[in-house]
Amino acid sequence: MNKSEALALLVEQARHGELIFSASVATSLKVKEAIDVPDCSLDTATKIILNEPMLAAKVVAVANSAAYSRGSEVTNVRSAIARLGFNTLRGLTASIVMRQIAGASKNPIIRTKVNQLWEHSAQVAALSQVISRRVTKLNPDTAMFAGIVHEVGGFYLLSRAEEFPCLLEPDDLSGANDDENFDEFRDTVTKVESQEAIIGRAVLKNLNLPSEVNEAVEAMWYGLHAMPPETLGDTLLLANDLAKTVSPLDTRTDTEANRCESEIDFVVGEGSLLSILEESEDEVTTLSAALII
């Protein structure tokens, strides 16, 4: 079976809701559902998070990052949740689900790709938080949430890579610049991308995310962002371009994926995007590091 055939099979399964998740994903989804309850109290949320050590560590780490720190260090989960708020808490719960969807493969190649994809996602989440707060004036917690889950389809594909090793094969870019083969090449790449979008959409449905987040992730698959950015989708796309770690599943060429920051700079108030990023470098670095935990 080649890569296209494997993707076609996974798409067919996704269309019928036949997604395969580990038991740990099901457990984390129950945690997410419990926190999503409208009247969930701080005390209840604290008890829930304390039963999940990885999530508890991440919550405290993010609360102490430069993006959320208020000059004093929090040393317990309850104080961390109070500082972050429930929207950010839901995003952090989703981050645990993302890692668990990919699973814990024994294959070193798959593990490397999962780690790279998570590093990329954490950077996009941190950049989205800063860009939404400093540039687009959108809800920064929602933007970070969207950044965390924007590669959900990629994590699922990597979770199936042990069963379908061909998914790890690079796309054949030979002949892409050949006029006679360009149209065929473009159609093939577009088809693969749309297949991954179908799979990602099916996984998102299982996560029961806010429609605003789903729409922003859709923009990642099909959208062209405005410059300067205006929507949450624009914010995600810009953060994706600015992330230093590129997704291991990115189908773009090196030239497209490694755009110089100066090429996408623009004026924001009395400053510029680059000046804002320079001022916020510590926030982005500490927040992305805390998310990787």
Side-chain angles (χ1 to χ4, degrees), residues 99 102-120 155 158 168 245-249:
R99 289 299 297 263
S105 174
K106 296 179 181 179
N107 185 317
I109 297 176
I110 296 176
R111 286 203 309 272
T112 297
K113 288 185 179 294
V114 168
N115 290 338
Q116 183 181 339
L117 186 59
W118 182 239
E119 187 175 326
H120 166 77
F155 281 110
L158 288 175
L168 300 177
T245 301
V246 177
S247 164
L249 303 178

Side-chain angles (χ1 to χ4, degrees), residues 171-185:
D171 294 307
D172 184 7
L173 303 182
S174 62
N177 296 317
D178 187 325
D179 290 339
E180 294 182 3
N181 298 326
F182 181 76
D183 288 339
E184 181 181 351
F185 161 78

Side-chain angles (χ1 to χ4, degrees), residues 150-280:
H150 84 281
E151 284 284 3
V152 63
F155 281 110
Y156 183 75
L157 285 175
L158 288 175
S159 76
R160 306 298 302 275
E162 206 140 11
E163 182 181 355
F164 302 102
C166 54
L167 292 174
L168 300 177
E169 296 173 1
D171 294 307
D172 184 7
L173 303 182
S174 62
N177 296 317
D178 187 325
D179 290 339
E180 294 182 3
N181 298 326
F182 181 76
D183 288 339
E184 181 181 351
F185 161 78
R186 181 187 57 196
D187 292 343
T188 300
V189 171
T190 301
K191 182 179 179 181
V192 170
E193 289 178 342
S194 63
Q195 287 174 322
E196 292 179 355
I198 292 169
I199 294 168
R201 194 176 297 114
V203 182
L204 284 173
K205 184 178 180 181
N206 275 265
L207 296 180
N208 194 27
L209 302 181
S211 58
E212 183 181 10
V213 173
N214 287 337
E215 290 168 5
V217 176
E218 287 277 352
M220 286 292 302
W221 294 324
Y222 299 114
L224 295 174
H225 57 71
M227 296 293 280
E230 299 174 357
T231 67
L232 184 56
D234 294 338
T235 301
L236 268 183
L237 283 158
L238 177 57
N240 189 65
D241 281 344
L242 291 169
K244 294 180 180 178
T245 301
V246 177
S247 164
L249 303 178
D250 200 322
T251 58
R252 295 176 298 174
T253 64
D254 289 341
T255 302
E256 294 170 326
N258 294 296
R259 298 176 64 188
C260 178
E261 286 184 351
S262 62
E263 293 181 18
I264 51 179
D265 193 20
F266 50 81
V267 175
V268 181
E270 297 181 357
S272 68
L273 173 65
L274 291 186
S275 65
I276 287 174
L277 292 176
E278 288 174 2
E279 293 170 9
S280 307

Side-chain angles (χ1 to χ4, degrees), residues 62 68 84-93 140-142 144 148:
V62 170
Y68 289 94
L84 295 173
F86 275 75
N87 285 337
T88 300
L89 180 61
R90 293 182 181 106
L92 297 181
T93 305
D141 296 330
T142 302
M144 186 180 77
I148 286 171

